Each structure stands twice: as structure tokens, then as C-alpha cells.
Amino acid sequence: MDNRTMLHQLAVLRDKHDIRSMLFMGGEPMIRKHLVMEAVKLFENPSIVTNGTYGVPSLPGGLVTVSLDGPEAMNDAVRGPGIFQKVKAAIAARDPGDGTTLMLQMTVTRMNAHAVAESVEVVKDWPIDGVAFAFYIPIVDDRTGLAWEDLRERDAAVRRVIAVKQAYPDLVKAHIPVLEM
């Protein structure tokens, strides 16, 4: 589908279903930056999730979430050599006063759960609005090594995130009662 048709179809769906919010994610939306930046104009509450390797877009009034998987060595082991520094530079280069809400998100796995506190410590002074955590959800017969052996093991990771939330209550965007569920 060409860009013009895509934008038209998004507008048709927005109007037909009264869609006010749209999240652009998957693959890497900023590969098609021009299209995404035109598409966000169609919605009152746009959001973009990006890995930050194509820069951090300005989205005044909207939310941009950049994925990081831990401190530099851990992130780069997952995302590729030099990616952490590239993302850090992209965040530093943006205008923090442009009205974009900028979040970092770490997907917590069995492999990086021990580094949750270090991850926040590394980014606490970056020009961001907060840090969010998601927990890895395994697929059936998951063999990635990212899943926990059992819920008790995963609960230890949740307790680490709760401790980080308590240490950085304004930076970590999580509600402890939700984490305790």
C-alpha cells in the first residue's frame, strides 16, 4: 500500500470508529518516518514505540517510548553493538522542551532482571519523562531462555521492579499495587 492510500485509510478508519488514539509500533516504525509523522497528525493522542536507532521523533502532545534492554553491555548484547550509545546520543540531541513525553521501556526477562536497578541508575539523569517496565511473556514451549522457570522466580523480578519504584518514585512509571497483582 502506498503512503497516500495508507493515510487515507487511516483517516477513514479514524472517522468510522471515532478513533482518537493511535500507537505506531512493530518492526521499527521510524524506518518509514515520513509516513508515521504524517499519520500521527490524524489522531488526538498519538504514540510511537521505537528502538531509537533512527532518532527520537518530536511528537508535541504525544508519547514516544524508546526501548532499552538494560545497561549498555546488556542492551547491546540483545540489540547490537553500539546501539545503547546511539540511543543515548539520539535522546541527548532532541529538544526536551518540545512537548513530547519521552519514556524509556525495559522488557524484564530472566536474563536482565538482576539489572533493573542498574538500568534506572544509568538513565536517571537523562532528559526523559520516565521509565516503564514490561515483563517478558513466553510463548508455548518457549526455548529462548528469557522466561522464568516458575512464577516464584518471576516474582523475584517483580520485587526488584517494586524496589526500584520505591527508590525512584517519580521516575519509574508503575503503580506498586498493579505490580503486586
Side-chain angles (χ1 to χ4, degrees):
M1 185 178 310
D2 64 45
N3 289 358
R4 187 171 155 229
T5 303
M6 176 77 73
L7 292 169
H8 173 75
Q9 289 301 315
L10 283 172
V12 167
L13 290 169
R14 177 203 59 204
D15 296 344
K16 179 178 180 180
H17 300 289
D18 194 29
I19 299 170
R20 292 189 208 116
S21 300
M22 181 59 71
L23 171 62
F24 296 89
M25 67 178 293
E28 173 49 49
M30 299 318 292
I31 288 174
R32 297 181 73 184
K33 183 176 182 175
H34 177 73
L35 174 62
V36 171
M37 297 315 292
E38 286 300 312
V40 297
K41 296 174 187 175
L42 298 172
F43 301 95
E44 290 176 38
N45 302 303
S47 299
I48 299 170
V49 177
T50 177
N51 61 27
T53 59
Y54 289 85
V56 177
S58 176
L59 191 59
L63 170 66
V64 174
T65 302
V66 178
S67 303
L68 281 179
D69 292 314
E72 187 169 358
M74 192 169 295
N75 181 80
D76 287 359
V78 173
R79 299 206 173 252
I83 298 300
F84 186 93
Q85 286 300 321
K86 188 172 188 176
V87 170
K88 181 179 179 181
I91 290 171
R94 63 178 285 277
D95 175 4
D98 73 353
T100 301
T101 299
L102 179 60
M103 297 287 296
L104 297 180
Q105 180 168 305
M106 177 180 178
T107 298
V108 181
T109 71
R110 183 176 189 213
M111 305 308 286
N112 67 7
H114 67 279
V116 166
E118 181 185 355
S119 298
V120 175
E121 182 65 27
V122 166
V123 303
K124 70 179 183 185
D125 296 322
W126 290 15
I128 58 173
D129 295 293
V131 177
F133 294 96
F135 291 87
Y136 179 75
I137 300 171
I139 59 172
V140 175
D141 296 324
D142 191 299
R143 299 183 201 288
T144 63
L146 300 173
W148 293 274
E149 292 294 322
D150 56 41
L151 292 179
R152 282 186 294 275
E153 188 181 16
R154 191 210 56 163
D155 287 348
V158 172
R159 285 192 296 279
R160 284 188 182 99
V161 172
I162 290 171
V164 171
K165 168 64 176 174
Q166 291 168 331
Y168 300 94
D170 296 327
L171 183 62
V172 174
K173 306 300 182 186
H175 297 284
I176 292 174
V178 172
L179 291 168
E180 292 173 334
M181 291 174 65

